[in-house]
Amino acid sequence: MQEFEGKRALVTGAAGGIGRAIVAALQARGAKVAGADLAESAGDVSLCGDLTEAAFCDGLPEQAAQALGGLDIVVNNAGIITRGKITEATDEEYARTMAINVEAPFRLCRATIPIMERAGGGAIVNVASCWGVHPGPNHPLYVMSKSAVASLTQCLGMDHAHQGIRVNAVCPNEVNTPMLRTGFAARGFDPDKAVEALDASVPLGRIAEPEDIADVVVFLASDQARYLCGALIEANGGKAVQ
Ligand code: NAD
């Protein structure tokens, strides 16, 4: 019997670098997965929609539960990175960063908890960032949004443990995904060379691949993590935030 046999999971940002790897890792262990993203995504079921739309977020856990026959695991993975100092930030960037990185997980957790409570429990895993735990330079909007996700995780971890609902987060440092690579390309760097340079800055010798993060998500969603509630697990290859 596989570890997640009979389990039903919703993963947001399922068309992205880390999201795809999370979907594959859950499926490989026997889970049925609904992937949510702006367009068609990985998963047994693909639920398309925009997480900045309140009604889509509010209804997504129920939509996933209906499509899969229940909901045991929710992974709030979708996110955007907004770069630049606060003096360069526009109102639109502020609103969009908060809508996708903070308001969507808030709405999704709020809608998920009653479903999981009725079923006797479940696991929510948020994808925050090491920058949600230790602030990094020149990304104040992103950093404050991820610190809100970290804080939300700690609060819900406390508030819903008595219902058998565990809420935890993985906090990655740099991961080799489109988010990172398109950022380099947009700033005029060759993404391969930039990733190579970053690899050299990590004590373990390389930045994370999406699968490294997916394995932590799988752990947090699994019974192996049965006593973890509100934990923020940093996955950084030994590299501290500078
Ligand atoms: P990615 O850009 O490859 O994937 C993000 C996905 O989220 C995309 O498929 C995108 O379409 C989806 N998404 C964005 N806005 C959406 C919206 N409004 N509605 C629905 N879907 C939307 O990025 P990734 O690197 O895989 O990032 C996944 C998560 O990991 C994010 O929360 C990110 O902040 C976090 N993270 C990434 C890194 C990194 O270095 N890549 C480091 C730390 C944390």
Side-chain angles (χ1 to χ4, degrees):
M1 167 128 166
Q2 286 181 293
E3 190 178 5
F4 288 126
E5 198 81 51
K7 299 284 185 199
R8 288 86 27 120
L10 166 65
V11 178
T12 68
I18 297 173
R20 267 175 206 282
I22 295 170
V23 171
L26 290 169
Q27 285 179 321
R29 289 159 179 82
K32 286 270 172 287
V33 184
D37 210 303
L38 288 167
E40 200 72 16
S41 67
D44 300 282
V45 178
S46 180
L47 303 172
C48 300
D50 189 335
L51 291 171
T52 64
E53 286 170 14
F56 175 67
C57 283
D58 291 343
L60 189 57
E62 189 53 48
Q63 217 188 326
Q66 279 185 12
L68 301 172
L71 192 58
D72 308 286
I73 298 163
V74 169
V75 184
N76 282 305
N77 164 71
I80 57 164
I81 190 159
T82 312
R83 300 186 166 86
K85 291 194 196 297
I86 195 165
T87 43
E88 298 151 15
T90 64
D91 288 3
E92 289 71 26
E93 282 175 328
Y94 172 82
R96 188 161 175 76
T97 308
M98 292 303 148
I100 297 169
N101 291 5
V102 182
E103 187 173 337
F106 151 71
R107 290 184 179 281
L108 288 161
C109 288
R110 186 177 63 177
T112 295
I113 284 165
I115 298 173
M116 288 185 172
E117 185 187 19
R118 283 196 293 277
I124 297 175
V125 183
N126 296 324
V127 181
S129 166
C130 61
W131 279 1
V133 188
H134 316 281
N138 301 325
H139 292 68
L141 294 183
Y142 182 71
V143 168
M144 69 197 267
S145 74
K146 289 298 179 177
S147 116
V149 174
S151 179
L152 179 75
T153 303
Q154 291 174 309
C155 294
L156 302 192
M158 279 190 278
D159 291 348
H160 299 284
H162 73 282
Q163 295 157 305
I165 301 168
R166 296 183 305 99
V167 186
N168 294 291
V170 59
C171 304
N173 205 324
E174 291 111 347
V175 189
N176 190 8
T177 71
M179 178 183 276
L180 188 88
R181 300 180 72 88
T182 55
F184 284 131
R187 282 172 284 161
F189 300 114
D190 173 337
D192 285 333
K193 289 208 174 103
V195 166
E196 237 177 81
L198 267 186
D199 283 345
S201 72
V202 182
L204 214 51
R206 62 173 180 83
I207 64 167
E209 290 301 322
E211 292 72 20
D212 297 318
I213 307 308
D215 279 352
V216 181
V217 171
V218 162
F219 164 68
L220 290 173
S222 78
D223 195 49
Q224 313 283 310
R226 62 193 166 274
Y227 207 66
L228 296 195
C229 299
L232 306 177
I233 307 294
E234 287 187 65
N236 61 13
K239 180 175 174 178
V241 173
Q242 288 137 359

